[in-house]
Amino acid sequence: MATKRKRRAAPRTAPRRIALALQGGGAHGAYTWGVLDRLVEEPTLSIEAVSGTSAGALNAALLVDGLTRGGAAGAQRALRTFWEAVSREGDAVFNPWRYLEPFPGLRDLTAAWGDAIARLWSPYDNLAYRNPLADLVGPAIDWDNVRSARKPRLFVCATDVLSNQRHIFAGSALRAEALLASACLPTVFQAVEIGLHAYWDGGYTGNPALDPLLPYTEDILIVEVNALARPDVPRNAPQIARRQNEIAFNAALVQEIRGIENINKLLRAGTLTDARYRQIRFHAIAADPRITSLDATTKYQTDVVFLRELYAVGREAASEWLGNAGCYGAVGVRSSIDVKRRYCDLAHGKHASDAGARTSMEA
């Protein structure tokens, strides 16, 4: 009588644990929406923690809320519902000159003379001021759920206006006002007051902040929205304004990565033996050239067709990253980007015009 052989179970593959760092960028955050929409579909990927700034913080909070309530489908639904609501609200959500809407003649000048107008007008000059993001953020997220979430953990970065210090909202401090603070561009919104403190956009001090992610995993995936490097010197006013914004909002990230990489070097050399420190591996989904080539004014363009185009580009970028053995295959093993060339050389002031173009470092 033949004996039945037990079928050997296939060995389980350990999930690849990562932390996400999501940059801000106004309406360009729809690119990150597409990236996240694809990442949550990957069954071998475990997202341990998420740090976000401005639009990146909005995406991060929606991701955490959706994942903890309904898994991948819940996250996709939460993100889609929010960005569709943004498109219905209109360009006023991110438009720094929305209070000039009743004056078409002035509105037409804002694209060319935005920097000059910002020196003459402020959100405090608008007697009918309201923050349109407040109407979107409040009902979009279950804050009790986000505050109690253990995985992924959420961290939101904002800048204290008076002290110039970075402030990280986490745990019981997470609420709609924290996201409004993180997304508070001072030319667009009045400072967000929480307790005795007033906050502006977190991009000035961390776009996004990486330090809160370090206890959760050795692998950090940065989803970039702003161009790190440009091949040409900007010549006209819109190009100059765009580059000023990119430099200002990339500076804190570059410096923080440089600090972490310096510790990595000490660990590799055996100079630093403190058990509290461990090697951090960096990965990046770069801002697609189709995004970085856009005019800065598109950061407040919320037409549904435009947002869906950015979403599609983001999904495509995430699919390419996941399918690249030199990128996703490096998680848990090594950094999949040349950290020195991409970030640290920029911090040292070296020319790195193509630093942002490389997404993987082949084994």
Side-chain angles (χ1 to χ4, degrees):
M1 181 170 144
T3 58
K4 292 183 179 179
R5 292 186 179 181
K6 286 187 176 181
R7 184 175 296 174
R8 182 176 295 177
R12 288 187 176 181
T13 302
R16 296 178 180 178
R17 301 168 61 250
I18 64 167
L20 296 177
L22 310 181
Q23 284 196 322
H28 290 187
Y31 172 77
T32 303
W33 162 31
V35 169
L36 298 177
D37 192 80
R38 176 63 185 89
L39 289 181
V40 297
E41 293 176 350
E42 177 51 52
T44 63
L45 182 65
S46 176
I47 301 172
E48 304 294 314
V50 191
S51 173
T53 292
S54 196
L58 296 172
N59 280 321
L62 292 160
L63 175 72
V64 171
D65 186 31
L67 278 176
T68 53
R69 283 199 287 171
Q76 291 173 322
R77 182 168 53 252
L79 287 159
R80 181 181 66 253
T81 300
F82 175 80
W83 284 100
E84 289 175 349
V86 167
S87 70
R88 288 193 299 271
E89 184 72 17
D91 290 358
V93 174
F94 300 114
N95 187 349
W97 314 114
R98 64 179 179 274
Y99 49 87
L100 299 181
E101 287 291 318
F103 311 102
L106 290 177
R107 186 180 62 210
D108 294 341
L109 294 175
T110 58
W113 299 99
D115 190 56
I117 292 175
R119 287 172 167 78
L120 299 173
W121 295 72
S122 92
Y124 293 89
D125 294 325
N126 179 16
L127 298 179
Y129 173 83
R130 72 178 182 91
N131 188 332
L133 275 176
D135 299 332
L136 297 174
V137 169
I141 297 168
D142 182 338
W143 289 101
D144 288 334
N145 181 57
V146 169
R147 284 189 286 270
S148 62
R150 290 294 174 262
K151 177 182 173 180
R153 296 299 298 269
L154 174 63
F155 302 95
V156 172
C157 178
T159 302
D160 190 303
V161 178
L162 299 183
S163 70
N164 193 43
Q165 296 297 307
R166 179 166 79 182
H167 185 86
I168 304 298
F169 293 92
S172 61
L174 290 168
R175 60 200 69 218
E177 290 77 11
L179 292 191
L180 299 180
S182 184
C184 183
L185 280 173
T187 56
V188 184
F189 305 108
Q190 294 180 9
V192 175
E193 297 184 4
I194 302 176
L196 300 177
H197 298 269
Y199 297 99
W200 279 349
D201 197 293
Y204 297 111
T205 51
N207 190 27
L210 303 181
D211 183 69
L213 302 175
L214 300 183
Y216 294 91
T217 177
E218 292 92 342
D219 290 271
I220 295 177
L221 172 60
I222 303 169
V223 181
E224 299 172 0
V225 176
N226 299 306
L228 281 167
R230 292 280 182 186
D232 302 307
V233 175
R235 301 292 183 183
N236 60 45
Q239 290 174 350
I240 292 171
R242 178 180 66 181
R243 192 60 187 149
Q244 282 180 314
N245 179 273
E246 290 170 348
I247 290 173
F249 275 35
N250 281 326
L253 174 65
V254 169
Q255 292 295 340
E256 190 167 10
I257 290 176
R258 180 188 177 189
I260 294 172
E261 186 60 14
N262 282 339
I263 292 176
N264 282 344
K265 288 164 63 176
L266 294 175
L267 289 169
R268 287 193 292 267
T271 306
L272 179 62
T273 58
D274 192 323
R276 292 174 299 175
Y277 297 95
R278 55 185 180 176
Q279 288 277 349
I280 299 299
R281 298 179 287 266
F282 287 106
H283 315 274
I285 295 179
D288 190 278
R290 286 169 288 182
I291 305 298
T292 58
S293 64
L294 294 171
D295 188 272
T297 59
T298 62
K299 288 190 173 182
Y300 55 80
Q301 180 180 334
T302 58
D303 175 80
V304 65
V305 174
F306 177 68
L307 295 180
R308 286 174 178 168
E309 289 174 349
L310 297 183
Y311 159 84
V313 174
R315 267 198 66 96
E316 179 185 333
S319 292
E320 291 179 356
W321 186 81
L322 288 168
N324 189 325
C327 295
Y328 188 48
V331 174
V333 180
R334 64 183 184 280
S335 290
S336 60
I337 55 175
D338 187 332
V339 180
K340 179 178 183 299
R341 181 182 181 87
R342 190 184 189 89
Y343 298 109
C344 297
D345 281 354
L346 295 180
H348 285 292
K350 296 180 181 179
H351 179 66
S353 61
D354 63 341
R358 297 187 59 182
T359 58
S360 66
M361 184 171 61
E362 300 296 340

